[in-house]
Amino acid sequence: MKKYYDLADKFKGVILDAERYLWNNPEPGYREFKTNAYVKEHFEKLGYKLVEAENTTGFYTVIDTGKPGPTVLVLAELDSLINRTHPDCDKQTGAVHSCGHHTQCASIIGLAYALKEKGALDGLSGKIKICLVPAEEGIEIGYRKDLVKKGIIKYTSGKPEFISRRFFDDVDLAFMVHSSPRENVKFVLTKGHNGVIRKRTTVIGKSAHAGAHPNEGINALNAASLIILAVNSLRETFEEKHYARVHSIITKGGDAVNAVPDEVIIESYVRAAEPIAHKKVNDAVNRAISAAAVAIGCSVKIEDMAGSEALREDENLRELAFTVFEEIAGKDGYKYESDWLASSTDMGDISTLVPSIHAYATGAKGTSHGVDYRIENPYDACVNATKFEIGLIRKLLENDAKNAKEIMAKFTPTFKSVDEYLAHKASLNMDKETVKYNQDGTITIDYKV
């Protein structure tokens, strides 16, 4: 395998140049226009035929080995976060790659170069689909909701969006490599991640002079404060086995300090590990929001948006990945973390349909999503990631794709079809006012989808 891993080193310069360019040009989800153009230019230079996502960012290409077999999907994420206090953020937008998605793009550029080399596909059966995906980070919910309303996208996350566009209907297995600040090893795999429902709550009150006549207003900010307290008060009711997490920010708190706020907007995540528990937790949150709004006399509109499904790493694909880790980094150069992660990734959506893993290559430092996150060792974060991509593709598709076929035969999908998956996603969406003040003085709360 060494000669194949050496292909990553052959294009080390290209990979590391890409890492620096992309770090210096961060863009958040569904806005990754420079990023998309940069990666696309490399692929087109190499002669790849691209299928581009209409009206948004992202694309894929298919490499045919010339022999029949499964299709392996390799993914990279285009988007950045927004963190205006990070020293390297874009001073105008606040965008910064404080989760390291740019390293994924750099490593997959290296993979694109490597697979064009003479002999790179020798002995393989099947197809390799490389896909650059937008909008993994679930930020700027209002902006993305507007894109949905305009019909530009259907989902606030890129991978569900691409599933809905049928980009992955031919895929049999999938994997990706994320950067990580973990120490003392080169690679990491985990058990899985939470799913997430994204929520936008608009609290509607009544404006009035805040000094002279506050009694004539209905304070939406006071209601929002009570909403956050009410939701936080639910925490002791969440079962530990479901890893439930709820967290919020206020994106609009009022318009003028001397006016009673009549509109406040809260963005929230509701996370959990199991779909049934996830819905139960989300219903409880919506009930708390609605009741807290009623306590102040406000109306409330809740927009629930299906985010990411829980990621369950395929254990058989994970075991095969360990063999690649060991070949690259030695038997002490990787580890398996058996703790469930309460964070979320839309790689989980793909894992409900085909065997999938979300691997990590180290080389980062600091706190993920934090002001101190950076890539300290780009070779480990990017070039080693390319080596892993090359290695796992070969392990899956060599020997008439024996390993891939065995993993596929043992896999039980969460959803039997993409249509069933899409129906599930639709069942999580809600957009309605959940509080109704009736003429007879009664109040109706309807907080369920």
Side-chain angles (χ1 to χ4, degrees):
M1 288 286 286
K2 184 179 182 301
K3 68 178 182 179
Y4 298 108
Y5 295 136
D6 286 346
L7 292 175
D9 285 313
K10 179 175 181 179
F11 297 105
K12 177 177 68 174
V14 173
I15 296 169
L16 299 183
D17 285 349
E19 187 274 330
R20 278 299 86 190
Y21 173 85
L22 295 167
W23 174 262
N24 291 322
N25 291 274
E27 298 166 297
Y30 292 126
R31 302 182 193 264
E32 314 99 323
F33 303 112
K34 288 189 295 183
T35 305
N36 190 77
Y38 178 84
V39 182
K40 177 183 167 184
E41 183 180 1
H42 278 282
F43 275 77
E44 289 182 332
K45 174 184 173 182
L46 292 164
Y48 287 104
K49 182 180 179 181
L50 307 182
V51 177
E52 299 183 59
E54 186 178 353
N55 297 329
T56 188
T57 50
F59 62 85
Y60 71 81
T61 189
V62 178
I63 303 163
D64 194 337
T65 66
K67 297 180 181 178
T71 297
V72 177
L73 173 65
V74 190
L75 297 127
E77 297 159 347
L78 293 162
D79 61 323
S80 76
L81 280 159
I82 293 177
N83 187 337
R84 296 182 185 278
T85 58
H86 194 290
D88 291 344
C89 76
D90 184 297
K91 302 310 176 189
Q92 291 187 327
T93 66
V96 64
H97 279 293
S98 53
C99 200
H101 290 184
H102 70 297
T103 65
Q104 301 174 29
C105 296
S107 68
I108 219 158
I109 286 172
L111 177 66
Y113 277 85
L115 294 179
K116 281 292 184 178
E117 289 293 284
K118 183 178 180 180
L121 303 179
D122 287 354
L124 303 184
S125 299
K127 296 177 182 178
I128 304 154
K129 176 172 277 191
I130 298 176
C131 186
L132 279 295
V133 189
E136 188 274 337
E137 302 289 356
I139 60 175
E140 298 187 302
I141 294 174
Y143 167 71
R144 297 185 190 190
K145 184 72 174 179
D146 287 342
L147 294 180
V148 173
K149 289 178 178 177
K150 292 174 182 176
I152 295 172
I153 59 172
K154 293 181 179 178
Y155 292 93
T156 57
S157 289
K159 296 185 192 71
E161 179 65 21
F162 279 16
I163 292 172
S164 75
R165 295 185 184 210
R166 304 288 175 159
F167 281 7
F168 304 145
D169 278 10
D170 58 341
V171 168
D172 298 298
L173 309 98
F175 73 95
M176 59 175 289
V177 194
H178 198 294
S179 61
S180 170
R182 294 166 174 86
E183 298 180 344
N184 302 319
V185 291
K186 301 296 185 185
F187 298 102
V188 176
L189 269 167
T190 65
K191 186 176 183 180
H193 295 249
N194 269 352
V196 62
I197 294 171
R198 296 177 183 133
K199 188 181 304 293
R200 188 171 186 256
T201 301
T202 304
V203 188
I204 304 161
K206 180 182 177 183
S207 62
H209 194 294
H213 308 291
N215 56 298
E216 296 180 4
I218 302 173
N219 195 313
L221 186 58
N222 287 345
S225 299
L226 196 58
I227 284 169
I228 291 172
L229 178 61
V231 171
N232 286 343
S233 298
L234 292 172
R235 293 180 187 277
E236 66 186 33
T237 70
F238 300 156
E239 295 182 69
E240 292 182 14
K241 65 182 179 181
H242 295 142
Y243 299 92
R245 300 285 190 276
V246 184
H247 45 97
S248 304
I249 60 171
I250 294 177
T251 59
K252 180 183 178 183
D255 294 309
V257 71
N258 63 345
V260 172
D262 64 350
E263 183 181 76
V264 172
I265 298 175
I266 307 168
E267 292 188 359
S268 310
Y269 277 9
V270 178
R271 307 186 197 246
E274 300 287 345
I276 293 175
H278 203 178
K279 188 175 188 325
K280 181 180 177 182
V281 170
N282 192 60
D283 284 347
V285 169
N286 285 349
R287 183 186 66 223
I289 290 170
S290 303
V294 166
I296 304 299
C298 286
S299 298
V300 67
K301 179 182 179 183
I302 299 176
E303 299 169 83
D304 281 345
M305 292 154 273
S308 307
E309 297 302 307
L311 168 65
R312 299 194 177 278
E313 307 270 8
D314 184 80
E315 59 183 21
N316 298 301
L317 184 52
R318 184 172 61 211
E319 289 298 320
L320 187 64
F322 290 154
T323 66
V324 181
F325 290 164
E326 187 167 340
E327 287 180 353
I328 298 169
K331 65 180 181 179
D332 297 322
Y334 69 95
K335 67 177 178 179
Y336 169 59
E337 295 178 352
S338 59
D339 291 341
W340 186 264
L341 298 180
S343 55
S344 306
T345 168
D346 59 6
M347 189 66 183
D349 291 74
I350 294 176
S351 79
T352 67
L353 297 167
V354 298
S356 306
I357 58 169
H358 182 277
Y360 292 92
T362 61
K365 283 288 184 181
T367 303
S368 288
H369 296 205
V371 297
D372 59 344
Y373 191 91
R374 67 188 189 280
I375 303 301
E376 185 174 75
N377 188 333
Y379 183 93
D380 284 0
C382 303
V383 181
N384 273 349
T386 301
K387 289 183 180 182
F388 173 70
E389 290 161 355
I390 293 168
L392 189 55
I393 288 168
R394 293 207 63 84
K395 295 285 186 186
L396 287 166
L397 298 184
E398 64 189 1
N399 299 320
D400 194 31
K402 177 177 179 291
N403 287 324
K405 292 174 182 177
E406 288 180 356
I407 291 168
M408 291 161 57
K410 295 175 182 177
F411 177 69
T412 302
T414 305
F415 302 106
K416 295 178 182 178
S417 67
V418 171
D419 288 337
E420 185 179 314
Y421 158 84
L422 293 173
H424 164 74
K425 299 298 276 189
S427 74
L428 300 175
N429 293 328
M430 183 177 78
D431 187 344
K432 69 178 180 181
E433 291 191 18
T434 61
V435 174
K436 181 181 179 182
Y437 293 90
N438 303 312
Q439 289 186 347
D440 63 0
T442 60
I443 301 169
T444 302
I445 295 177
D446 179 12
Y447 58 87
K448 292 189 177 182
V449 176

